[in-house]
Amino acid sequence: MWARKRLDIDGLDLASGLGAALTCRQSERQAMQEQLERGWLGSSPGVALACLSVRSGFDLLLQALQLPAGSEVAISALTIPDMVRIVRDRGLTPVPVDLHPATLAPEPASLERAITASTRLIVVAHLFGTRAPIEPVLEKARSCGALVVEDCAQAYAPGFTGHPEADVSCFSFGSIKRATALGGALLRVRYPALAELMRQIQAGYPLQSRLAYTRRLLKYAGLKALENRPAFAALVATCKLLGADCDRLLNQAVRGFAGGELFPRLRQQPCTPLLALLAHRLRRYTPARMAAQVECGETLVRLLRQRCPWVTVPGSAAPYRSHWVVPVLAENRQALIAALAAAGFDATRGSSMCVPDAPDGPYLPATATGQVFERLVYLPCYPAMSPAALVRMTAVLAAQQGNMECFGVLGASAGWDGKSPTLATDRH
Ligand SMILES: *Cc1c(COP(=O)(O)O)cnc(C)c1O
């Protein structure tokens, strides 16, 4: 069985994290954070800030901005529920911006409709490893005085610190993210005074528990072991035997924060071992490592286009694709997932994202994004899979034509010209 995902961290990285958890001293924290931030930012404009998570950083931003209650935040209509919760918690109104199903970029007409005199912030998510061209958003934001936040949680790439003109760009190193440090985030903030304010608020937070982080490192060392195919097959078989829902179990296991209240969990400073592991990951994460994933995703997209051109791959028409994940759209997800499982591929519908409702008033619901969201199936796709495995997986999808056919329409509307895409290399 090919597991749904490979955690993007190796045993040696986990060992390095455990080493840091055992040895690094509290007194090194300040220097470590500065070095991490400086090293990542390089010559990019603005100021870097390391946080516990993107959600923590976004929450800091909203606290620092002190926007008047009732201000509106236009936000990419496919995001994680907590981002929407954080907006609501500050008394602000999230307004979804519909996305193009094939490029996942904000639809200009929907953006236009979502912006009002009360819009103070526009949050654009770069989904599934794509980079949405944000120039139209920047232009719109400048004309109405809103700030632009880039949610790059799914779009880390070595050397990429976000669009130079974005006001804030946020990168996540949560457990399922690229170059993960099992937590942590880096934000690039354009305005030093704003960054300083955020830093001061963060400095008042309690420190993340080192013990909890060490346990997390150990737990993931265990999950890593499941990536071994026989071990994973055994887990699936055991769940079946016990009547347990393996899918839910795995989704829960990799959720960023365990149960309990959201805000106390977000409002912590990253512990020193987390900063150390994050710095280690960034130092060691090579463009070649990422290129292998990009290549794997592009190969799969190419195969799908050749053998089942009716399949819609959200994001595959984006100008830049790094394939953090590769989803397809299916009418009957359960049938597709079952067919893939029977052939040895652990696809999943995922459960971590949402499409926020439009608020009352003149706002339009994010219809296209809603249609995508209800049909998403994530395929396993990572360099450990041989090209032959990708071909076999494509054959399963080809046999599901009736299940996927109707959404060819969505793909076609992207104006994809049928030519093979330019390989998404690490252009910035
Ligand atoms: C993962 C994710 C986040 C949150 O990242 P954390 O660092 O876990 O807070 C935010 N937005 C998107 C689109 C994500 O995928």
Side-chain angles (χ1 to χ4, degrees):
M1 192 75 152
W2 288 105
R4 59 197 57 189
K5 190 136 180 52
R6 286 280 154 109
L7 298 170
D8 193 11
I9 187 165
D10 297 334
L12 280 176
D13 300 317
L14 287 166
S16 154
L18 283 166
L22 292 175
T23 59
C24 65
R25 280 189 308 268
Q26 199 52 38
S27 55
E28 300 171 291
R29 190 164 186 289
Q30 184 73 18
M32 203 170 273
Q33 173 145 0
E34 278 164 21
Q35 201 180 1
L36 166 66
E37 290 169 350
R38 217 167 335 107
W40 173 68
L41 190 65
S43 56
S44 304
V47 175
L49 179 63
C51 301
L52 183 67
S53 69
V54 162
R55 285 162 291 168
S56 308
F58 185 56
D59 175 55
L60 280 174
L61 172 69
L62 294 188
Q63 290 183 65
L65 287 175
Q66 300 260 356
L67 300 173
S71 299
E72 292 172 9
V73 177
I75 184 164
S76 287
L78 192 55
T79 184
I80 62 162
D82 284 350
M83 294 295 280
V84 181
R85 245 185 98 182
I86 290 164
V87 171
R88 293 221 168 92
D89 178 71
R90 311 261 10 124
L92 311 174
T93 305
V95 179
V97 177
D98 214 356
L99 307 177
H100 192 288
T103 64
L104 299 174
E107 283 282 17
S110 178
L111 180 68
E112 194 67 40
R113 279 294 291 258
I115 304 290
T116 73
S118 306
T119 309
R120 292 288 169 273
L121 218 59
I122 306 177
V123 184
V124 181
H126 296 306
L127 295 166
F128 306 148
T130 62
R131 282 180 207 166
I134 66 162
E135 287 77 10
V137 178
L138 289 168
E139 196 174 317
K140 187 76 208 149
R142 301 302 178 232
S143 75
C144 69
L147 293 179
V148 173
V149 177
E150 270 184 306
D151 180 345
C152 306
Q154 304 186 356
Y156 172 75
F160 176 58
T161 55
H163 191 289
E165 279 165 48
D167 296 301
V168 181
S169 307
C170 322
F171 292 83
S172 170
F173 301 89
S175 53
I176 58 171
K177 300 292 156 69
R178 182 168 284 151
T180 178
L182 305 188
L186 285 162
L187 271 64
R188 188 170 60 81
V189 182
R190 194 164 167 203
Y191 312 100
L194 178 58
E196 186 49 37
L197 209 52
M198 292 164 69
R199 200 183 292 282
Q200 278 171 17
I201 300 170
Q202 179 166 251
Y205 288 172
L207 262 185
Q208 173 191 24
S209 148
R210 180 187 284 236
L211 183 63
Y213 184 65
T214 308
R215 279 209 210 98
R216 208 171 155 69
L217 288 164
L218 289 169
K219 175 173 116 181
Y220 277 86
L223 280 171
K224 249 340 250 184
L226 282 178
E227 284 180 356
N228 173 307
R229 284 167 73 196
F232 185 68
L235 174 76
V236 173
T238 309
C239 285
K240 211 174 215 169
L241 206 65
L242 300 175
D245 185 342
C246 185
D247 197 63
R248 243 197 40 215
L249 195 78
L250 287 175
N251 278 329
Q252 273 170 2
V254 296
R255 189 138 306 157
F257 295 94
E261 278 294 305
L262 176 66
F263 288 96
R265 280 181 286 124
L266 293 185
R267 292 177 181 166
Q268 299 181 38
Q269 302 185 56
C271 67
T272 314
L274 170 56
L275 296 174
L277 180 55
L278 183 46
H280 168 90
R281 299 286 353 243
L282 297 188
R283 267 196 316 273
R284 300 290 179 91
Y285 204 89
T286 60
R289 179 170 179 138
M290 191 170 111
Q293 175 61 31
V294 176
E295 166 123 16
C296 184
E298 286 293 301
T299 302
L300 179 54
V301 169
R302 211 156 37 232
L303 283 167
L304 290 171
R305 275 182 185 150
Q306 281 161 7
R307 309 204 177 176
C308 24
W310 57 85
V311 170
T312 304
V313 184
S316 61
Y320 178 97
R321 305 171 294 276
S322 68
H323 303 291
W324 171 61
V325 290
V326 181
V328 291
L329 303 186
E331 172 78 334
N332 180 343
R333 293 195 276 190
Q334 216 168 353
L336 176 60
I337 290 169
L340 285 165
F345 299 97
D346 169 46
T348 170
R349 48 199 283 175
S351 61
S352 59
M353 300 189 67
C354 74
V355 179
D357 290 330
D360 295 335
Y363 310 94
L364 292 180
T367 314
T369 311
Q371 289 187 349
V372 167
F373 179 65
E374 284 163 15
R375 293 170 173 86
L376 278 175
V377 173
Y378 299 91
L379 303 176
C381 182
Y382 36 84
M385 294 173 74
S386 61
L390 296 179
V391 169
R392 269 191 293 118
M393 186 162 69
T394 307
V396 177
L397 286 143
Q400 290 267 319
Q401 175 164 8
N403 188 1
M404 328 205 49
E405 197 168 30
C406 45
F407 296 99
V409 177
L410 291 178
S413 68
W416 175 61
D417 58 8
K419 290 193 210 96
S420 143
T422 48
L423 189 77
T425 49
D426 197 34
R427 276 181 272 121
H428 336 290

